[in-house]
Amino acid sequence: MFISDLRTLVVRPTLDALGMGGAAAENLILGTGLVESGFRHLAQMGGPALGVYQCEPATYDDILRYLDRRPDIVARLRPLIAGEGLPAASQLVWNLKFATAICRIHYWRKPGAIPTDLAGQAAYWKRHYNTALGRGTVARYLECARPLTEGMTQ
């Protein structure tokens, strides 16, 4: 799938529906998908993470607890959900807009503005998504997210 299609058909409309959009957020979400799965894997190879953003079930459960206290966000999320209530983590595998929303909400809870440059976003991803103990590196993010550089401010 082309990054431009993901941006215009999935990421941008999802972030706009949540009221959490903008170029920096779009690029961070796309960069996350590129480094986590290359937008090719729906489940982590040898691990528990699900969807193209590789959200672990424990992280998803934590996001659900956060959403229990944020009915305003749940109301904006509702049109992206298939079925009633907040779905099981398995929906992260097949519902791209829902998975994108969960990825964005994960970052929404973190401190600091999303950096506008690729290096800043790589460090932000490492600190807030992959974590200090994760195997991912800033260098790997930069390598995987290289296709995004045409649309970013330097």
Side-chain angles (χ1 to χ4, degrees):
M1 188 176 291
F2 294 105
I3 296 303
S4 61
D5 289 341
L6 283 167
R7 182 185 301 277
T8 58
L9 299 173
V10 177
V11 174
R12 184 171 294 146
T14 299
L15 300 188
D16 287 349
L18 290 173
M20 300 178 184
E26 288 178 18
N27 284 325
L28 179 62
I29 298 303
L30 288 165
T32 300
L34 286 166
V35 71
E36 292 290 337
S37 73
F39 287 106
R40 291 186 303 269
H41 302 286
L42 298 177
Q44 184 179 19
M45 298 166 69
L50 298 171
V52 295
Y53 303 105
Q54 300 290 283
C55 182
E56 294 189 0
T59 300
Y60 181 67
D61 290 345
D62 187 53
I63 291 169
L64 291 183
R65 284 188 292 278
Y66 170 78
L67 290 172
D68 280 343
R69 300 182 313 273
R70 297 301 307 266
D72 57 318
I73 296 175
V74 172
R76 290 177 270 159
L77 184 60
R78 178 85 39 230
L80 307 173
I81 298 171
E84 296 296 319
L86 291 172
S90 61
Q91 200 167 130
L92 296 169
V93 172
W94 57 268
N95 185 337
L96 271 177
K97 286 188 175 183
F98 181 69
T100 298
I102 293 302
C103 182
R104 180 62 182 104
I105 292 166
H106 175 81
Y107 283 120
W108 182 260
R109 305 177 310 152
K110 303 304 177 183
I114 297 171
T116 57
D117 64 298
L118 192 61
Q121 289 183 3
Y124 196 85
W125 163 82
K126 177 61 182 165
R127 184 170 50 258
H128 297 303
Y129 203 89
N130 186 259
T131 75
L133 299 177
R135 290 184 8 205
T137 65
V138 167
R140 178 75 176 143
Y141 184 102
L142 291 170
E143 177 186 327
C144 292
R146 192 173 312 133
L148 299 175
T149 57
E150 298 119 30
M152 299 183 81
T153 57
Q154 298 299 318

